[in-house]
Amino acid sequence: MTDTTTLPQSPWIAALPFSPRLGLVVLALAGLATGGVAAMAGSTDASRVIWSGATLPILLVLLVEIVTSLRKGSVGLDLVAALSMTAALLFGEALAANVVGLMYAGGQLLEQFAEGRAKRELTALLGRVPRTAMRKRDGTLEEVPIGELVPGDLILLRAGDTLPVDGKVVGTTAIVDESALTGEPLPVSRMADEAVLSGSINAGDAFEMTVTHPADESTYAHIVRLVEQAQQSKAPVVRVADRLAVWFLLVTVVIAGAAWWSSGDHLRALAVLVVATPCPLILALPVALISGISRAAGQGILIKNGGALEALTRVRTVIIDKTGTLTHGVAHVADIRTFDGWLGANELLRLVASLDQASNHVIAQALVAEARRRKLVLEPPLAVTEETGAGISGRVDGYEVTAGGSRYVAARSEGDPYALRAGLESGAAVVAAAVNGRLAGIIVLHDPLRDDAADVIEGFTRHGVQRIVLASGDRQEVVDALATRIRVTAAIGDLTPEAKLDVVRREAAHAPTMMVGDGVNDAPALAAATVGVAMGALGSAASSQTAGVVILVDRLDRALGALEIAARTRAIATQSVAGGLLLSLAGMLFAAFGFLPPVAGALFQEAIDIVVILNALRALR
């Protein structure tokens, strides 16, 4: 027999200074062995007393569990175990009572093992939360609680340390292991000034980093909150199983009563109660679901709760964002075209990137990053003026530099930036630049389609998805150009967040819908979908909070992986429930007709427990 309706045990039991489930198993085994010795010695009365004495504490613990469940409004199937032990004691079948007690205690111990195995990936995440950090201040190191760290603090990460907060590498290259966050097994290199994430492990030499977020706002703290939510959730299918459990209890009592009434043999009724096991309903489902969630976590996919996992199994429409989802969301310099060749490509990039140091626009940041990658020496800009979204002007190294959109630059210089755009791929972003009032050239940036995007879209179709809708805030011509490279049902561009939300609502009204996105503007759409999938807790906090699934690694194929894990988990859970219930009903009927005595019934029940739990744990693989 197993626990009532959820995996966690009662708080008063968990607080005991030893493992109560192991203690009950030891007690039952000791009673069984001692009573057996007494019976072989001819002391029948003594053996009955010993077997009864070993059963009563187990029965008492079980009754407390039942009362606790009833107070919470839950009718537990462990009532069957309590009835069978009580009936065995009243009928004088002390050996059967002791065996049932052993099977019940053994089932609980097996549950504890299964629960630990099912949660192993999630528990590994929670167990790595650092408590302190080595802060460097005034040239000295001090160990402080991570709650005291504030943005701007300098901390030292020793080899093997877990990064306590998000930050940026200082003055060197860091080697970090991000496997706990992303599922990627190989360490990665992070250059000076590059961001590193809390929860990563320093896999190289010691390095220093500056804190960018307090501990409670860090990536890892957010992930831990998601993990705790996943552990505590109760899936809709489990709540349905709770209701089915009540009917199973009634069927058990009816069969036991009918067996006693038709045969006049109370042992048949006892055997029916003994063999009736609730395990497929109250243990196999939660173990399978949490196993699936844990398996997903090991691949960098956080499924927040069982409800989200179930929703994934019903998806028939996928709505997918473009920037940061189908593409990487980071602009890269694809080409530099100079005007009349009077300025070299690297020199043009150096001047524009120097000026763009004064801007926080994403394209400006991309140009600065490219210049640093090329090891160009950037100068501080002077007298900078910026028109948000249009362009920027200022003085760099003695030159008057203007950079921005073609219209902005054309209005402030001699030359036609549009003449340099011939043959550009649709969707490319262009930064025009002028130096000393003369057109110098254009820098072409492109956010390329992810390498696996087409394969993932095909995978959605193979998985039973009937509609795939590309929804983006980019220009319609850009979206149409992208749609020619992947197979989608519809491609919709020029969407505001409100318009994207309307698209999701329309699709969700016709079929279960999965929305995949990454930005703040995707948060309403993610919340409106049947299940939202956010590309990264490493990205927008708003999107990862509203989504039911968060992909921690920057890989689109994990969205398809979430569907596959969910489908396999549900299939395994269904197998466990159906197979376990059929075996239980078959055993009850055999017992009702006198072919299965109480002790044999208890052993048969435990075999069913083991089979369904091991099958449920297959969701981990």
Side-chain angles (χ1 to χ4, degrees):
M1 288 292 168
T2 57
D3 212 347
T4 51
T5 55
T6 58
L7 285 174
Q9 59 189 354
S10 297
W12 72 272
I13 290 184
L16 292 177
F18 59 92
S19 171
R21 297 180 177 182
L22 179 59
L24 293 179
V25 170
V26 172
L27 175 64
L29 283 172
L32 197 62
T34 307
V37 171
M40 287 187 291
S43 301
T44 304
D45 293 338
S47 64
R48 288 177 179 174
V49 171
I50 293 171
W51 288 329
S52 298
T55 304
L56 286 173
I58 300 172
L59 180 58
L60 177 61
V61 169
L62 177 55
L63 291 174
V64 172
E65 292 282 354
I66 290 171
V67 171
T68 302
S69 297
L70 290 174
R71 286 178 176 175
K72 295 178 180 178
S74 176
V75 179
L77 275 181
D78 280 344
L79 279 169
V80 177
L83 284 174
S84 61
M85 277 188 270
T86 302
L89 291 174
L90 291 176
F91 293 153
E93 297 292 331
L95 175 59
N98 196 164
V99 172
V100 172
L102 175 61
M103 296 302 102
Y104 169 78
Q108 291 222 323
L109 190 63
L110 183 61
E111 171 192 353
Q112 190 176 52
F113 164 78
E115 180 185 5
R117 286 280 295 169
K119 292 183 177 181
R120 62 181 180 181
E121 300 290 352
L122 300 180
T123 304
L125 281 173
L126 294 176
R128 290 173 54 178
V129 179
R131 306 297 178 189
T132 61
M134 298 299 294
R135 183 170 62 189
K136 190 174 184 179
R137 181 173 288 179
D138 298 328
T140 62
L141 288 172
E142 57 177 343
E143 188 170 6
V144 298
I146 63 171
E148 294 185 11
L149 297 177
V150 297
D153 279 349
L154 184 66
I155 62 175
L156 173 68
L157 281 307
R158 298 160 296 191
D161 278 354
T162 299
L163 277 61
V165 292
D166 295 345
K168 288 187 176 180
V169 179
V170 174
T172 186
T173 298
I175 308 297
V176 294
D177 175 4
E178 298 179 347
S179 59
L181 303 177
T182 66
E184 297 295 329
L186 298 178
V188 295
S189 298
R190 299 298 180 200
M191 308 294 288
D193 294 327
E194 194 170 355
V196 284
L197 302 173
S198 54
S200 306
I201 294 176
N202 180 10
D205 296 332
F207 69 93
E208 294 179 347
M209 63 173 258
T210 54
V211 176
T212 57
H213 294 86
D216 60 352
E217 296 178 12
S218 69
T219 298
Y220 198 57
H222 176 53
I223 291 171
V224 166
R225 286 192 290 270
L226 296 181
V227 168
E228 289 172 341
Q229 182 180 349
Q231 286 187 321
Q232 296 167 5
S233 66
K234 193 173 186 181
V237 71
V238 177
R239 292 193 291 269
V240 170
D242 290 343
R243 293 193 292 271
L244 291 176
V246 176
W247 289 104
F248 188 82
L249 172 61
L250 293 175
V251 169
T252 298
V253 173
V254 167
I255 294 177
W260 191 355
W261 177 80
S262 61
S263 66
D265 185 359
H266 62 272
L267 291 182
R268 292 192 183 185
L270 175 60
V272 170
L273 294 175
V274 166
V275 81
T277 172
C279 185
L281 283 174
I282 68 172
L283 184 57
L285 270 175
V287 167
L289 291 176
I290 200 66
S291 294
I293 291 173
S294 183
R295 176 74 180 103
Q299 295 190 10
I301 307 166
L302 271 181
I303 300 176
K304 289 185 179 180
N305 50 56
L309 188 141
E310 284 189 64
L312 287 169
T313 66
R314 297 184 283 109
V315 168
R316 291 297 174 267
T317 298
V318 170
I319 302 173
I320 191 163
D321 178 50
K322 171 187 166 290
T323 305
T325 306
L326 282 175
T327 66
H328 290 280
V330 179
H332 299 279
V333 174
D335 191 15
I336 300 178
R337 300 182 178 184
T338 60
F339 185 70
D340 286 344
W342 69 275
L343 196 67
N346 276 350
E347 180 64 7
L348 175 61
L349 176 62
R350 185 185 75 85
L351 292 175
V352 173
S354 294
L355 178 62
D356 276 340
Q357 292 176 105
S359 174
N360 61 5
H361 194 280
V362 291
I363 290 181
Q365 293 172 359
L367 293 178
V368 173
E370 176 65 17
R372 287 176 174 162
R373 189 187 69 80
R374 297 189 184 194
K375 302 187 184 306
L376 303 180
V377 178
L378 303 184
E379 300 293 336
L382 303 173
V384 176
T385 59
E386 182 176 9
E387 290 185 22
T388 304
I392 186 171
S393 300
R395 189 179 303 115
V396 176
D397 215 9
Y399 296 99
E400 294 294 333
V401 182
T402 301
S406 296
R407 185 178 302 174
Y408 177 88
V409 173
R412 292 162 175 79
S413 65
E414 297 178 1
D416 181 13
Y418 292 97
L420 298 174
R421 299 171 64 116
L424 288 184
E425 181 180 350
S426 177
V430 173
V431 176
V435 177
N436 292 338
R438 180 184 176 188
L439 178 66
I442 63 173
I443 302 173
V444 182
L445 298 99
H446 188 59
D447 183 11
L449 188 70
R450 292 177 185 267
D451 293 338
D452 62 348
D455 291 338
V456 171
I457 296 299
E458 290 291 335
F460 285 145
T461 302
R462 291 194 303 271
H463 199 72
V465 173
Q466 298 166 355
R467 280 179 59 81
I468 301 174
V469 179
L470 172 57
S472 175
D474 278 353
R475 302 187 310 276
Q476 185 64 52
E477 58 266 26
V478 175
V479 175
D480 288 339
L482 185 63
T484 61
R485 302 172 59 188
I486 55 176
R487 189 173 298 177
V488 296
T489 310
I492 309 171
D494 295 313
L495 292 174
T496 63
E498 293 77 12
K500 188 178 291 187
L501 175 60
D502 289 339
V503 170
V504 172
R505 284 173 172 168
R506 286 198 303 269
E507 295 292 340
H510 293 93
T513 299
M514 179 173 81
M515 168 69 195
V516 187
D518 78 311
V520 173
N521 61 333
D522 292 326
L526 290 168
T530 308
V531 58
V533 178
M535 291 290 292
L538 322 183
S540 162
S543 62
S544 59
Q545 285 287 354
T546 55
V549 179
V550 179
I551 297 176
L552 304 178
V553 61
D554 187 29
R555 288 180 55 174
L556 181 60
D557 64 345
R558 294 301 196 256
L560 177 59
L563 290 180
E564 293 170 343
I565 289 173
R568 184 170 184 272
T569 299
R570 186 181 180 91
I572 288 173
T574 302
Q575 292 169 5
S576 295
V577 170
L581 287 181
L582 287 175
L583 287 172
S584 293
L585 288 172
M588 290 161 61
L589 292 175
F590 270 90
F593 285 100
F595 299 117
L596 200 61
V599 173
L603 296 173
F604 182 69
Q605 171 265 328
E606 185 65 9
I608 296 174
D609 283 3
I610 294 171
V611 168
V612 298
I613 288 175
L614 292 180
N615 187 65
L617 284 174
R618 288 195 302 117
L620 279 173
R621 298 201 300 272

